[in-house]
Amino acid sequence: MATTPLVELRSATVVLGGARVLDGLTFTIAVGEHTAILGANGAGKSTLVKLLTLQHYPLADGDAAPIRVFGRDRWDVFELRAQLGIVSADLHDRFVQGNASGVVTAIDAVTSGFFASHGIFAHQRVTAAMRAAAGEALGRMGVAHLAHRPLAAVSTGEARRVLIARALVHHPRALVLDEPTRGLDLVARHHFMERVRAIAREGTTILLVTHYIDEIIPEIDRVVLLKGGRIALDAAKAEALQPAQLSDVFDAPVAVDRGDGYYFARAVTRPR
């Protein structure tokens, strides 16, 4: 029996400030198809994430819906966030800064995933089951000992793992990672991505949006290269992560190495 795709884009265009930030994107990602969206700064990656999470809406183009998420073109945003977990460096910054009620502890950050809010507020009804699920999610990420610590008082790597727990607390069907290792050191990045690999192997679909080639975990088999708001290439990872393809996307000569299932790219100085 066919499975409803995670996302379907059909000539999806987003215009911001009079500019076409995304221009005619068409692709389908199946549930279970771990995929990376790769591009340089300004390629439209952040706008694409906001499109998928319904923070931006594409231009209408005829009768066909330009975007469907899990087979639907209309969603209550809070309902969608229970199906689509999000982890990003920007989200991290908002939690670390706290909210109108003050600092946000790890347990409150994870529990707030049930409400798609940034922390817990007085009007929200938090049940014992929610608290128990939040504690279990923290334990799954190896940060249960941080439950009552403010996110501003823990390391960046620890806080990012708390955000994974928040994204997974309601068992979403897919996890969207938007430049998830920004600000992490070498060891913290490794530990973080190992957690992501385990999540992928357990069956949660991973959609990684990044400009770092070495974030693309071995479990990801498909890469969509984005350039200037358009798809430059949509192909298997081994084809997409070639020097010629990456050099075109990043507008500079790029060399590629490979090891332990990962790809590593570096800029190459042109001979004078």
Side-chain angles (χ1 to χ4, degrees):
M1 182 172 63
T3 302
T4 301
L6 163 58
V7 62
E8 300 169 90
L9 295 181
R10 294 289 179 268
S11 299
T13 296
V14 175
V15 175
L16 299 174
R20 289 191 171 221
V21 184
L22 296 178
D23 189 2
L25 298 193
T26 297
F27 63 78
T28 298
I29 298 175
V31 171
E33 185 179 28
H34 307 309
T35 302
I37 309 292
L38 179 68
N41 289 333
K45 301 187 304 297
S46 294
T47 302
L48 177 58
V49 171
K50 291 179 179 178
L51 178 63
L52 298 178
T53 55
L54 305 186
Q55 297 174 71
H56 287 328
Y57 289 90
L59 297 178
D61 184 18
D63 296 330
I67 179 170
R68 293 181 184 273
V69 182
F70 296 122
R72 292 167 53 180
D73 60 337
R74 295 183 182 275
W75 279 91
D76 175 274
V77 173
F78 294 100
E79 183 186 359
L80 176 60
R81 288 175 183 171
Q83 300 286 325
L84 201 62
I86 307 291
V87 176
S88 71
D90 288 341
L91 186 65
H92 174 152
D93 293 342
R94 289 197 291 272
F95 273 98
V96 167
Q97 290 166 6
N99 58 30
S101 298
V103 299
V104 180
T105 62
I107 191 71
D108 281 351
V110 177
T111 306
S112 72
F114 289 105
F115 304 99
S117 60
H118 296 149
I120 298 299
F121 297 90
H123 68 278
Q124 293 168 333
R125 181 176 175 270
V126 178
T127 66
M130 289 178 182
R131 285 293 188 188
E136 290 173 3
L138 285 170
R140 181 182 177 189
M141 291 300 107
V143 286
H145 61 291
L146 302 176
H148 301 291
R149 295 273 302 279
L151 287 193
V154 305
S155 74
T156 302
E158 290 169 333
R160 210 63 58 83
R161 284 155 67 185
V162 170
L163 291 186
I164 291 187
R166 178 182 183 269
L168 297 178
V169 72
H170 38 53
H171 304 290
R173 299 168 67 185
L175 181 62
V176 178
L177 303 172
D178 182 13
E179 299 184 3
T181 68
R182 193 182 77 195
L184 301 188
D185 64 28
L186 179 66
V187 175
R189 287 184 76 193
H190 172 74
H191 290 320
F192 181 90
M193 297 314 296
E194 285 299 302
R195 297 281 179 180
V196 173
R197 294 189 67 185
I199 292 165
R201 291 193 295 265
E202 289 166 2
T204 302
T205 306
I206 301 296
L207 178 57
L208 171 68
V209 181
T210 186
H211 54 249
Y212 294 119
I213 286 84
D214 60 353
E215 283 187 350
I216 301 176
I217 57 176
E219 287 72 17
I220 289 175
D221 292 322
R222 177 183 176 188
V223 175
V224 178
L225 299 180
L226 204 61
K227 181 179 181 180
R230 296 187 175 191
I231 294 175
L233 180 68
D234 179 356
K237 179 170 59 178
E239 178 183 350
L241 300 185
Q242 292 295 319
Q245 312 290 4
L246 296 178
S247 297
D248 175 65
V249 166
F250 288 95
D251 287 324
V254 173
V256 179
D257 299 310
R258 183 177 179 180
D260 296 327
Y262 283 90
Y263 288 76
F264 306 90
R266 64 187 188 279
V268 177
T269 302
R270 287 190 177 97
R272 296 185 179 183

